[in-house]
Amino acid sequence: MAQAHPPQRIHGRERELDTIGATLDRARDGHGGSLAIVADAGMGKTTLLEAAVHRAAPGFRTLGTTGVPRETTVPYAGLHRLLRPLSGLIAELPPAHRDALGAITGGDARHGTPFVLYAAVCELLSRAARDRPLLCWADDAQWLDRVSLEALAFAARRVQDEPVAVLFAARGEQRDSDGLAGIRRLRLTPLDDDAGRQVLHDALGDALGCAVPHGTACGDLAEEIVDLACGAPLAIRELAAALTPGQLSGTAPPPRSLPAGSALRYLHRRRYLQLPVGARRLVLMAVADEWLSAATVTRATRTDGIGPRDLDAARASGLLRFEGEAVTVRNRLVRSSLWADASREERQDAHALLVEILVHEWQRPWRLWHRAAMTGEPDDRLAGALAAAARASQKAGRYADSWRIWQRAATLTADHAARTDRLLSAAGDAWASGRSRRARSLLRQVRPFTCAETRAAHAGLLRGEIEVAAGSPATAVPMLRDAAERLAGGDADAALTALMWAAEAADAAGDHRAYLEIADRAATLPRGPRGGVPGDPLGGVPGDHAGAELRGELIRTHLAGVAATIRGRYAEAAERLGRAVLLGAETTDPAAQAWAALSAFTLGDGPSTRTLAAAAVASARRAGNAPIESYALVIAGRSEALLGHPPSPIAACHDGLRLARATRLHAHAAEQLATLALTAAFNGDENTVHGHLERLTGAADRRGLTRAAAFGSWAPACLDLAADRPADAAARLRLPGGAGLAHPPARLMAVPHLVEALVLDGRRAQAVGAFEHYRRWTDGLDGTARAPGRAALARRCLALLADCDTEAGEHFTEALRLHEAAGAVFDLARTELLFGHRLRRDRRPRAAREHLRAALRIFERYDAAPWTARARAELRAAGETITPMPVLEPAPPAGAREIGADGGPGTATATRTANGFGKLTAQQAHIARLAAEGATNREIAARLLLSPRTIDHHLRNVFTRLGIRSRVELARLIR
């Protein structure tokens, strides 16, 4: 491991660096530890060790060793390199330890037992750390000789009370060595796409310009390299170093494999050559076909020259991945390396073997492909047969099969136009199957400057749709608008689809000026027959003109309705959005159903939103369209969360999050995280909220996901409200620009929370101003009839703003009725709490208790701890005796004697309850809690509508009953 230069910049390894840093910090404090960094070759293990050495440099003594394959059988080789700098300390060890380490100092170590050697290493490291902490590292530990590895690992397991940190780096594909048993492992996963692009930018700098959008030459090259590298930083650097001027300028195709001199490519080839001949044939067969069923592999083992032992050897090599009934190559990087190094004879043998063992009728397309691949020449007849098979698979919704067949048909096609059509079909089906990376890779083979305008426009449409869900919405907007203009003359329906996705991207990016422009363009778009390219999955069902017309009308109506909402023309918006909802009930197209669900959500029509969103999810699943299913789940989760039905959105959001992550739909994953954070915030679950926001913030900032970031910013304000911090909640909700709710619709939907916070904080005039826009919105959309949930929130705001108690009571009562009609149970509980609070302030405790009890039951049902605590506190203040919530105290130390009331042994009888309040009255307990939180007598008096003198009297009684004399003691007691 090189140490003479500063460590490389590290991207995407923040968690791993934090773990290593914590290990060093503990060692610095005298509580050492050990860590084994485990990963495949090229994943950055050595770089992390270099970073650890660099971080430890100011105050640590550092010792290191590296395993070398030629020294694996040489005893003590690793220890010799590690401990030679300590030869002076070895001479000071006791004779037995000194003799055991004789091999390092030039003596004879054969007389000691293994335990004596291991103990000697422990003692030596302990002595080396007396003056300052010690860092020991071992790189490529899988190649250390057995004696050295076991001795160092023995010591690493015994440094808990020493200022010593021991770090190992080992290959993850090797079987775990017994020598590293008991040492905590830090497994490195592949870098994500963003981190991969940063590594590439460091390697090439301005020569590539990785910040450029997808679709440009440099952007496509960056995507291809990151995709090919499969998250391995070393592979990215090796690919970058071998780029030619033509590849950098976009005139030459991107690399298809690692360069010939690559260390990783050599490693893969060496593993392949170490296999028996039969195992090599199996591996190369998997490389040639990408995916094989277990039955096919079993048939291969019965052919001449291949046996069951060859299958075991191929499995043990780490080159293949066995998943259930499927056998595939480990990843694209391994596949491309092995295929690039294979000779022509080896490739032909693999294709011939596959032709022999692919015997079923459903395997006919693959058999045809391999027969054609044996010649290596285009074959239009076979390409036509493959295209027919691809079209049949596509029609059946088997996109995982059809995209592969389309790709192979394109490879065998000589005509450039037909080849482009089949590549577009392959890309569309790959996208529908949830393979966004593969779809982008196929689209990169469609050169817009060498194909017809319509084909280039369809490629732009697909690129933009992928970018909306998996990339940056702001980048997708101009891409889709350009595709729409190109398609407008010949394929109006495809142009309209491009505008719809452009509008979705503009909304996700918070660019509502662009949204209005897109909606206006859609209204003027000429109506015309559907075009498309042969086999295009975006083209719908051939001949389904009625379905295409219905979909187009729904898109136009939805865009016009949302645009009217943005412009404040709410009556017009209600009419158009209602029409879109009705059209959604007539279509079976999953994307159109999802857009109709958005229309219903904008109206606040909960039942229609849930029905249409569920229909969209089901239709997308039946069609096998993963991106549309993920999009529909985003809408379903968001609508449930914001229509007052927690924790229902948890199921939809978690399903959607799993799907989005599996299919690399990063924007959808961010939306789901934002909804999950907001739902948890409604319940007051602080830990869950922060966990989701930690994963959301970086992704939202990098990709410009303004809508997701706005919902994420709303969540901390909800936590403040749950914790009775209205001033903090109001401050968060009123933050300007990107620091707050930068998405106007999100800001509008958060108004009821802002009004509540401002009123509770005593800023009624500001609350009135904040509510005005929300009132016009709900009234204009005829909220009482269509959206009782939002009308209920408006009524709650009016109740909070009312000066007259009678007026407030009427508004609260109507709000409760509307909440019940909407099925918004959690919002109903919050309104009950606010109503009870108002009644108690009006000195009507009996009426208040009825509403507070209802709120408490609902909060307890949803396990909303902060809200439950507030409801209990209000009930106590209203004069109801509430059993204190149990507080578990830590168990006494083992062997400790419990002290009884008389000071002798026995069961402790607490003189105070677990919350520290003793036998205080409900009012006294409430005042004590407020005082312990730091409120002054005047502030408490204003909160409870009592005089400061009354508060002082209550506090004196509290001090007397609890046997304390100050607020400081009160705070300590309650804490």
Side-chain angles (χ1 to χ4, degrees):
M1 183 183 75
Q3 303 175 63
H5 55 80
Q8 297 175 354
R9 293 180 61 188
I10 299 176
H11 302 286
R13 300 292 189 209
E14 289 76 14
R15 180 184 66 87
E16 291 81 357
L17 289 171
D18 288 344
T19 301
I20 293 170
T23 302
L24 294 176
D25 291 342
R26 286 194 299 270
R28 189 178 285 108
D29 294 335
H31 303 288
S34 57
L35 195 64
I37 304 169
V38 180
D40 294 346
M43 297 302 294
K45 303 181 297 297
T46 299
T47 302
L48 285 177
L49 285 183
E50 289 177 349
V53 171
H54 183 74
R55 177 167 179 167
F60 276 73
R61 183 175 195 169
T62 303
L63 301 172
T65 187
T66 300
V68 179
R70 290 184 177 274
E71 296 181 357
T72 300
T73 58
V74 180
Y76 302 96
L79 284 177
H80 184 266
R81 185 172 181 178
L82 177 74
L83 302 180
R84 281 192 67 189
L86 302 181
S87 56
L89 286 177
I90 293 176
E92 300 174 7
L93 293 174
H97 291 170
R98 188 170 59 246
D99 292 344
L101 294 171
I104 297 170
T105 58
D108 187 357
R110 289 178 298 175
H111 301 298
T113 64
F115 178 78
V116 175
L117 172 64
Y118 303 163
V121 173
C122 282
E123 179 64 20
L124 183 60
L125 296 182
S126 176
R127 294 194 180 207
R130 284 180 178 176
D131 296 332
R132 51 180 175 159
L134 175 66
L135 168 63
C136 289
W137 56 264
D139 199 6
D140 285 329
Q142 75 278 357
W143 287 329
L144 286 176
D145 62 280
R146 187 173 185 83
V147 174
S148 297
L149 177 60
E150 291 184 350
L152 188 55
F154 181 91
R157 291 189 286 266
R158 289 161 175 81
V159 296
Q160 294 86 349
D161 298 321
E162 301 283 351
V164 178
V166 185
L167 302 180
F168 297 90
R171 289 273 177 85
E173 65 269 14
Q174 303 290 332
R175 302 283 79 82
D176 286 344
S177 170
D178 293 339
L180 291 178
I183 295 175
R184 187 161 61 109
R185 280 166 170 74
L186 179 64
R187 297 190 181 274
L188 304 186
T189 56
L191 295 179
D192 61 28
D193 292 352
D194 291 329
R197 279 190 286 270
Q198 290 174 315
V199 173
L200 182 60
H201 188 272
D202 288 348
L204 289 177
D206 295 334
L208 181 65
C210 295
V212 297
H214 299 300
T216 65
C218 292
D220 286 348
L221 178 60
E223 284 297 304
E224 183 64 31
I225 290 174
V226 171
D227 183 33
L228 178 59
C230 297
L234 177 58
I236 294 174
R237 287 191 288 270
E238 289 184 336
L239 287 165
L243 290 174
T244 66
Q247 289 171 329
L248 287 169
S249 64
T251 58
R256 293 288 180 248
S257 66
L258 290 166
S262 160
L264 285 177
R265 180 166 161 177
Y266 169 75
L267 173 66
H268 299 148
R269 180 64 176 174
R270 187 181 66 183
R271 286 188 193 158
Y272 171 78
L273 293 175
Q274 288 173 346
L275 293 172
V277 174
R280 282 188 233 162
R281 294 184 70 197
L282 278 174
V283 169
L284 211 58
M285 179 184 72
V287 170
D289 203 69
E290 295 190 9
W291 184 94
L292 295 171
S293 68
T296 300
V297 175
T298 301
R299 280 196 298 275
T301 61
R302 294 196 290 266
T303 62
D304 185 34
I306 302 177
R309 290 186 178 180
D310 294 315
L311 178 60
D312 294 337
R315 185 195 302 266
S317 70
L319 297 173
L320 301 183
R321 189 170 66 240
F322 291 75
E323 297 178 346
E325 294 299 313
V327 180
T328 63
V329 184
R330 188 184 189 105
N331 55 42
R332 185 186 172 195
L333 189 64
V334 174
R335 178 184 298 114
S336 62
S337 297
L338 294 179
W339 197 248
D341 283 327
S343 65
R344 177 179 175 81
E345 290 74 17
E346 288 177 315
R347 294 182 184 187
Q348 288 184 330
D349 178 67
H351 288 305
L353 178 59
L354 285 163
V355 169
E356 181 181 350
I357 64 177
L358 296 174
V359 296
H360 295 295
E361 180 58 29
W362 62 269
Q363 294 174 320
R364 180 174 176 271
W366 319 117
R367 190 165 59 249
L368 292 175
W369 153 251
H370 290 294
R371 182 174 292 121
M374 291 173 65
T375 66
E377 299 293 333
D379 189 323
D380 286 332
R381 183 182 61 81
L382 284 177
L386 288 173
R391 201 170 288 110
S393 294
Q394 182 189 71
K395 187 176 181 180
R398 297 195 304 270
Y399 298 116
D401 291 335
S402 63
W403 78 261
R404 291 187 174 92
I405 305 175
W406 280 122
Q407 181 189 27
R408 292 177 176 185
T411 304
L412 296 175
T413 303
D415 180 70
H416 179 74
R419 182 176 184 276
T420 300
D421 287 343
R422 287 164 181 172
L423 282 173
L424 284 173
S425 296
D429 286 3
W431 168 238
S433 70
R435 291 163 174 81
S436 57
R437 275 188 168 184
R438 181 64 70 174
R440 279 175 165 162
S441 177
L442 290 164
L443 284 172
R444 284 192 285 271
Q445 299 178 46
V446 179
R447 298 289 174 176
F449 302 110
T450 60
C451 62
E453 179 78 5
T454 301
R455 293 183 175 89
H458 275 282
L461 168 57
L462 186 53
R463 283 193 183 97
E465 187 178 340
I466 295 171
E467 196 68 22
V468 174
S472 167
T475 302
V477 172
M479 192 181 297
L480 288 162
R481 295 180 72 177
D482 177 69
E485 295 304 325
R486 292 186 179 192
L487 291 165
D491 191 347
D493 289 331
L496 200 56
T497 298
L499 289 176
M500 183 63 232
W501 286 119
E504 166 61 22
D507 185 57
D511 187 353
H512 287 89
R513 178 179 298 177
Y515 195 107
L516 294 175
E517 294 173 356
I518 292 165
D520 292 342
R521 180 67 181 101
T524 62
L525 201 67
R527 301 169 187 266
R530 192 174 187 85
V533 296
D536 179 11
L538 301 174
V541 180
D544 186 14
H545 300 301
E549 184 176 349
L550 178 62
R551 173 188 169 107
E553 182 62 25
L554 191 153
I555 291 174
R556 288 186 175 90
T557 307
H558 169 79
L559 289 176
V562 175
T565 303
I566 295 172
R567 291 184 169 114
R569 301 203 293 260
Y570 298 123
E572 176 189 346
E575 189 274 329
R576 291 183 180 275
L577 293 172
R579 170 66 177 157
V581 172
L582 294 176
L583 291 171
E586 300 176 19
T587 184
T588 58
D589 180 85
Q593 290 171 326
W595 296 325
L598 272 182
S599 293
F601 173 70
T602 305
L603 285 171
D605 184 351
S608 296
T609 304
R610 286 187 287 276
T611 300
L612 288 167
V617 172
S619 297
R621 283 177 180 165
R622 284 194 300 271
N625 196 319
I628 298 299
E629 179 186 349
S630 176
Y631 178 63
L633 285 169
V634 168
I635 297 171
R638 187 195 310 153
S639 61
E640 285 292 340
L642 295 175
L643 291 175
H645 289 263
S648 300
I650 296 296
C653 291
H654 280 299
D655 288 348
L657 184 59
R658 282 192 293 269
L659 177 60
R661 285 175 170 168
T663 53
R664 297 179 178 274
L665 303 181
H666 307 296
H668 289 178
E671 296 273 8
Q672 298 289 18
L673 285 171
T675 304
L676 285 168
L678 192 57
T679 304
F682 289 158
N683 279 22
D685 187 350
E686 188 170 356
N687 291 334
T688 301
V689 170
H690 291 320
H692 291 317
L693 291 183
E694 185 178 351
R695 288 177 287 172
L696 166 67
T697 304
D701 291 344
R702 285 193 305 270
R703 299 179 184 277
L705 304 174
T706 303
R707 183 174 60 202
F711 285 120
S713 298
W714 186 357
C718 296
L719 288 178
D720 288 331
L721 277 176
D724 200 16
R725 298 189 296 265
D728 293 342
R732 289 184 191 275
L733 291 172
R734 303 184 79 187
L735 283 172
L741 273 67
H743 190 260
R747 191 163 56 243
L748 185 60
M749 286 184 280
V751 164
H753 288 167
L754 176 59
V755 170
E756 178 182 345
L758 290 170
V759 169
L760 293 179
D761 196 42
R763 291 184 279 174
R764 182 183 177 280
Q766 296 178 34
V768 171
F771 175 64
E772 180 58 27
H773 189 189
Y774 188 86
R775 182 192 62 75
R776 288 191 292 107
W777 180 45
T778 53
D779 290 349
L781 292 179
D782 192 15
T784 302
R786 279 197 174 96
R790 287 188 183 148
L793 294 176
R795 284 285 191 159
R796 186 170 81 190
C797 291
L798 290 170
L800 290 169
L801 295 171
D803 290 323
C804 173
D805 294 339
T806 302
E807 181 185 356
E810 291 174 355
H811 287 309
F812 271 127
T813 301
E814 179 63 10
L816 292 174
R817 185 189 70 79
L818 291 169
H819 281 314
E820 189 168 352
V825 181
F826 201 81
D827 280 336
L828 184 145
R830 292 188 58 182
T831 302
E832 294 273 24
L833 177 64
L834 290 169
F835 194 8
H837 175 73
R838 177 77 180 240
L839 290 170
R840 184 183 62 76
R841 285 177 52 192
D842 294 341
R843 291 182 170 82
R844 296 171 59 191
R846 179 175 298 178
R849 287 196 292 269
E850 177 183 350
H851 295 286
L852 294 172
R853 289 191 200 104
L856 178 61
R857 284 193 293 270
I858 295 173
F859 291 144
E860 288 179 335
R861 172 187 171 190
Y862 285 114
D863 196 24
W867 292 108
T868 300
R870 285 187 58 184
R872 284 172 168 268
E874 286 288 345
L875 274 170
R876 283 193 296 269
E880 183 156 316
T881 302
I882 297 291
T883 304
M885 296 181 68
V887 178
L888 298 178
E889 297 185 351
R897 297 171 63 192
E898 294 183 341
I899 306 299
D902 57 356
T907 302
T909 304
T911 58
R912 295 190 294 266
T913 56
N915 60 13
F917 289 160
K919 297 181 179 179
L920 302 181
T921 65
Q923 185 79 309
Q924 287 172 341
H926 194 186
I927 292 171
R929 180 179 286 105
L930 293 173
E933 292 174 353
T936 65
N937 286 3
R938 188 173 297 278
E939 291 170 340
I940 299 173
R943 185 80 174 270
L944 301 182
L945 299 180
L946 300 171
S947 70
R949 182 173 296 180
T950 302
I951 299 299
D952 181 70
H953 172 74
H954 280 305
L955 280 177
R956 289 180 185 275
N957 289 335
V958 168
F959 291 169
T960 300
R961 291 197 177 196
L962 297 182
I964 58 177
R965 292 182 292 179
S966 70
R967 288 172 177 256
V968 174
E969 291 182 78
L970 177 64
R972 289 174 179 168
L973 175 65
I974 293 178
R975 186 169 57 246

